[in-house]
Amino acid sequence: MSDLHRRVEETQAILARIARDYSPAVFASSLAAEDMVLTDLILKARLPIAIFSLETGRLHAETLDMLKRVRETYGYEIALYKPQPEAVEAYVAQNGLNAFYDSVEMRKECCRIRKVEPLGRALAGKQAWITGQRRSQSATRAELAVQEDDVAHGLQKFNPLTDWSEENVWEYLHENQVPYNALHDRGYPSIGCEPCTRAVQPGEDVRAGRWWWENPESKECGLHVVDGKLIRIKSVAA
């Protein structure tokens, strides 16, 4: 059995266990390459795991186009969670539209409004949530576990692709003809909001294009952080 097929079987087993033991469970998709792997696995297996995405209001057109491509390929409508309009308006009025360039604090506040608060609404009433995070993506994710006790949201958090390599991800996408974000072919291995993401140069870290003006140690949006620390409070053996 190839390395990819072994990882696929392991991931399928994890997803099946989540659907069986942690219902209702949801998958938080950023519509990037890793998330399309999980989307394909969940929808083809018809697992009772809902898929949602955070529509921040600052996403690339190519990212938004993925919603249509998922609908056309799988006949599935990804649920969208958007920031509270009044919170966005207050931030922009007080600080300016692109104040996130001014400091880490301003950037994290923008992420809190556009991503963290909507995530809380998306996870309300759920027993588990799933992400497409991988250990090799960045220094901040080096100790990522397959299953974690997310005390911040009061539920279990699963990262089924923890041990997948970049090569595994792309081999799966090509082998299974899974649609993916066109920005990946233009030097964007990691894709966030448009003003906070740039293409990377050959040899750069895959997340070097995210908040490129900051130090690597601060490059998390807050979805996986509480009080300045990554939510790695208690890892649970798979």
Side-chain angles (χ1 to χ4, degrees):
M1 181 183 296
S2 70
D3 178 59
L4 173 63
H5 291 168
R6 176 175 58 82
R7 295 197 185 283
V8 168
E9 286 192 356
E10 292 172 348
T11 303
Q12 288 172 325
I14 293 169
L15 293 172
R17 180 166 67 89
I18 296 169
R20 183 188 68 236
D21 298 339
Y22 296 94
S23 181
V26 290
F27 167 41
S29 172
S30 69
L31 304 166
E34 290 82 3
D35 296 322
M36 290 309 300
V37 169
L38 290 173
T39 295
D40 190 71
L41 290 171
I42 289 170
L43 295 182
K44 282 183 176 176
R46 300 183 181 276
L47 294 174
I49 297 173
I51 304 175
F52 73 88
S53 190
L54 302 177
E55 211 292 66
T56 66
R58 304 295 304 266
L59 299 179
H60 296 80
E62 292 85 350
T63 299
L64 294 174
D65 184 59
M66 288 302 300
L67 298 168
K68 177 183 176 183
R69 297 183 68 188
V70 168
R71 184 166 57 248
E72 293 174 344
T73 303
Y74 303 98
Y76 185 87
E77 194 77 39
I78 292 178
L80 297 180
Y81 285 81
K82 300 180 180 182
Q84 301 288 1
E86 59 273 17
V88 174
E89 291 168 5
Y91 177 91
V92 173
Q94 182 175 352
N95 307 294
L97 180 63
N98 295 326
F100 42 80
Y101 290 130
D102 296 341
S103 69
V104 173
E105 291 70 28
M106 280 288 95
R107 194 270 294 168
K108 289 184 176 180
E109 177 62 8
C110 186
C111 288
R112 184 192 69 77
I113 292 170
R114 295 182 182 273
K115 300 176 76 172
V116 178
E117 189 278 331
L119 176 70
R121 283 187 272 122
L123 299 184
K126 306 302 188 294
Q127 288 200 51
W129 68 299
I130 301 165
T131 85
Q133 294 184 103
R134 296 185 296 106
R135 284 199 189 109
S136 62
Q137 286 174 322
S138 68
T140 61
R141 298 178 178 180
E143 297 180 6
L144 189 69
V146 171
Q147 182 176 351
E148 302 171 312
D149 186 9
D150 183 353
V151 296
H153 297 107
L155 70 172
Q156 292 296 291
K157 179 180 176 184
F158 290 86
N159 310 295
L161 303 184
T162 296
D163 294 321
W164 283 50
S165 67
E166 186 84 1
E167 292 73 20
N168 290 150
V169 170
W170 285 101
E171 184 180 354
Y172 182 92
L173 293 178
H174 292 312
E175 185 175 298
N176 293 278
Q177 298 183 319
V178 179
Y180 62 85
N181 194 318
L183 291 173
H184 288 309
D185 290 334
R186 303 175 199 163
Y188 289 77
S190 179
I191 305 168
C193 291
E194 184 172 15
C196 296
T197 310
R198 66 161 173 80
V200 302
Q201 300 301 313
E204 279 191 300
D205 181 88
V206 295
R207 282 175 66 83
R210 302 291 296 277
W211 310 295
W212 64 90
W213 63 93
E214 295 183 10
N215 292 325
E217 293 77 13
S218 69
K219 291 187 176 185
E220 290 290 345
C221 61
L223 297 181
H224 313 290
V225 178
V226 173
D227 295 332
K229 298 181 179 180
L230 281 175
I231 302 174
R232 300 282 179 265
I233 299 173
K234 181 182 179 183
S235 296
V236 182

